Amino acid sequence: MTPVRIVGLQARPGWLPALARAHVQAFGTLLPAWTVEQAEAELRMQRDDTIPCTWVAEDDAGWLGSVSLLHDDHEQIRGWSPWLASLYVRPTARGRGVGARLVRHCVAQAAQLGVPRLYLYCEAAMVPWYHALGWAPHTRLQLGPLAVTVMRIDPAPPRGGTPPVSDEVSHA
């Protein structure tokens, strides 16, 4: 098995169409009018060093999954920001820790950007998984057709502290 690397999406523009299709397929239920073209345009506008941004897990065979850091994730929940969003791991890469690495990487990058509190939402079945990664339930609400739990984590280190160590990162 080749090592997993996490890179900024801007370093892999050829993956944008496939990633946009995967995101719309996985998350389109919450945004029925969202198209692959819109998803691709949103991803293409992102940069690696500011919000919004997306990172991709890869190995020598290609991309394995992605995660985004966004200001807003859904029009019904604008009261909190920013968001860890669009965590997606390809079915063939699941069960290998790729999702956890992407989550830890996003939290570490949020810390480097000075984000004091980061949010995500998930279905109830995923709450224990995120809790094991350090996230705490914040509230529960109905988001379109889904009952979700909004979770939070405080990624920024205390004043004078050092940021958390992130996974191997490459911007090449």
Side-chain angles (χ1 to χ4, degrees):
M1 188 180 327
T2 60
V4 174
R5 299 170 300 276
I6 298 178
V7 299
L9 179 58
Q10 297 304 310
R12 303 293 187 263
W15 293 344
L16 279 163
L19 194 58
R21 281 191 303 275
H23 281 194
V24 170
Q25 182 179 11
F27 310 114
T29 305
L30 289 172
L31 304 165
W34 192 36
T35 67
V36 172
E37 292 77 19
Q38 289 170 323
E40 188 173 341
E42 291 166 8
L43 290 168
R44 193 171 302 285
M45 290 184 340
Q46 296 179 7
R47 296 295 165 251
D48 292 339
D49 57 351
T50 188
I51 302 171
C53 49
T54 296
W55 298 277
V56 181
E58 68 176 5
D59 65 12
D60 291 344
W63 72 275
L64 305 171
S66 67
V67 68
S68 298
L69 180 59
L70 305 176
H71 287 294
D72 295 304
D73 194 16
H74 194 282
E75 64 188 26
Q76 292 179 339
I77 47 175
R78 297 273 193 232
W80 304 294
S81 181
W83 294 87
L84 180 147
S86 304
L87 175 64
Y88 178 80
V89 177
R90 294 175 91 167
T92 56
R94 293 179 185 163
R96 295 174 34 194
V98 172
R101 286 194 62 190
L102 284 164
V103 168
R104 286 192 303 268
H105 180 80
C106 186
V107 171
Q109 294 303 306
Q112 288 185 1
L113 292 170
V115 170
R117 178 159 287 172
L118 183 60
Y119 299 91
L120 64 79
Y121 64 84
C122 62
E123 292 183 78
M126 293 301 296
V127 169
W129 187 80
Y130 283 109
H131 188 265
L133 294 174
W135 293 76
H138 184 67
T139 192
R140 289 174 184 75
L141 52 87
Q142 190 70 30
L143 191 59
L146 296 177
V148 300
T149 299
V150 174
M151 301 189 77
R152 69 178 188 276
I153 195 168
D154 296 342
R159 274 209 146 81
T162 56
V165 177
S166 69
D167 290 325
E168 172 186 350
V169 179
S170 169
H171 295 285

